[in-house]
Amino acid sequence: MDPTSNYLVCAGRELHYTEWGAQHADTVIAWHGLARTGRDMDDMAAHLSKRWRVICPDTLGRGLSQWSPAPDSEYCLGFYEQLAVSLLDQLGIHQCLWLGTSMGGAIGLHAAAAGLRGRIRRLVMNDIGPELAAPAVARIRSYAGSPPAFATVGELEQYFRTVYKPYGWLSDAQWRRLTETSTRRLPDGRVTPHYDPAMVRQFIAHPTDYDQWPAWDSLEIPVLVLRGQDSDLLLPEVAEAMRNRGPRAVVVTMPDCGHAPALNTPEQYALVERFFAAA
């Protein structure tokens, strides 16, 4: 079945989300990365929707969701958790499986340890951990905080192909969809990535937001960690610590990619499906 496009007001802010497999009762929340949109999850959601209902939100300030009028207080994991709790409550989701890429995985960890404790049954963290490598954060801030603008969508696609090369293999059609689902036009007619640049204020107003070892050590649910082989954000020693403490995650290294695997290959589908199906 084709996905539907939906909007809900959560914690006073309008969120957009796509829904796949609405006929199923068991639900997967698939949450995207920092400067991306829920449409990044299309391929994985299409696969999982054969068995599960899949909800793919646009985070506040991204895609078709509202931009925050209070960026310093709302662009942070704590408020994103509030949005997630409200979203699940309004959709009648009492328990769920959670798949999160980068920031989406950090939100899942934060929520599983607090506001959604006991409601997230299994957690997949795609190239994210309770500790981030500072140089990688600086790299991401360097492009996300000052998004460029281009005269044409074709030029924007070439930009995306460059900055997201670490995602690994994407087909030409997938690059085109990634571009078209995350483009907005400026008043001067140029095009730019579809997010609020102020969302990087999270790293200034909440500098320790992603330091989550206490939350990690408190988890009592199964966790699968997917790590890009060449990731500069989730370092090998952090992934190893995630294997040996707290919930003792299953860690799988994904070849031929860095931060973060695009979740668009049969091998990646199979890993996530097997993990969720064991619930």
Side-chain angles (χ1 to χ4, degrees):
M1 294 180 63
D2 291 334
T4 59
S5 177
N6 310 272
Y7 296 84
L8 275 177
V9 175
C10 301
R13 304 287 177 247
E14 184 181 77
L15 288 192
H16 172 259
Y17 67 93
T18 54
E19 179 175 10
W20 303 71
Q23 71 273 23
H24 303 298
D26 211 6
T27 303
V28 173
I29 303 298
W31 210 295
H32 65 83
L34 181 75
R36 301 298 311 138
T37 81
R39 295 296 305 277
D40 280 12
M41 295 291 186
D42 277 9
D43 294 306
M44 180 64 78
H47 180 82
L48 296 178
S49 66
K50 300 169 188 174
R51 184 167 184 166
W52 291 280
R53 178 190 188 191
V54 186
I55 304 295
C56 306
D58 286 345
T59 310
L60 184 74
R62 285 77 161 183
L64 298 177
S65 288
Q66 181 179 353
W67 288 16
S68 174
D72 280 6
S73 60
E74 294 185 353
Y75 288 144
C76 63
L77 297 182
F79 193 71
Y80 299 155
E81 177 190 304
Q82 291 181 46
L83 297 173
V85 171
S86 177
L87 182 67
L88 266 63
D89 286 350
Q90 292 187 67
L91 293 177
I93 300 169
H94 303 294
Q95 288 197 323
C96 69
L97 307 163
W98 189 290
L99 166 63
T101 290
S102 193
M103 179 195 70
I107 297 170
L109 167 56
H110 195 283
L116 292 175
R117 192 173 191 90
R119 296 176 67 179
I120 295 177
R121 302 197 336 263
R122 284 180 170 248
L123 173 63
V124 178
M125 299 179 66
N126 183 25
D127 211 67
I128 189 73
E131 177 183 334
L132 307 185
V137 173
R139 173 182 64 81
I140 293 168
R141 282 182 60 186
S142 72
Y143 70 77
S146 302
F150 301 94
T152 68
V153 174
E155 291 173 288
L156 181 59
E157 179 178 326
Q158 290 306 310
Y159 166 77
F160 283 143
R161 283 176 179 255
T162 300
V163 296
Y164 295 133
K165 185 177 180 180
Y167 281 13
W169 178 86
L170 280 79
S171 68
D172 287 343
Q174 288 169 335
W175 279 118
R176 179 59 48 83
R177 187 185 65 214
L178 181 152
T179 302
E180 292 181 346
T181 57
S182 51
T183 296
R184 65 184 177 91
R185 197 169 293 277
L186 296 168
D188 65 5
R190 295 180 300 163
V191 289
T192 194
H194 206 328
Y195 62 83
D196 178 3
M199 58 85 178
V200 297
R201 293 285 305 168
Q202 177 180 20
F203 297 102
I204 299 168
H206 306 271
T208 62
D209 222 12
Y210 287 89
D211 299 340
Q212 295 202 84
W213 281 116
W216 176 260
D217 289 334
S218 78
L219 293 188
E220 298 176 337
I221 58 174
V223 182
L224 170 65
V225 176
L226 306 178
R227 179 182 180 272
Q229 181 179 29
D230 302 317
S231 175
D232 61 345
L233 189 77
L234 177 56
L235 299 180
E237 57 267 30
V238 175
E240 187 63 20
M242 296 171 77
R243 193 197 307 268
N244 293 316
R245 60 188 275 190
R248 298 181 180 271
V250 174
V251 179
V252 179
T253 299
M254 310 304 299
D256 304 317
C257 60
H259 180 75
L263 303 180
N264 66 330
T265 68
E267 294 78 15
Q268 293 165 6
Y269 302 155
L271 276 169
V272 174
E273 182 177 12
R274 281 198 301 268
F275 180 73
F276 283 160

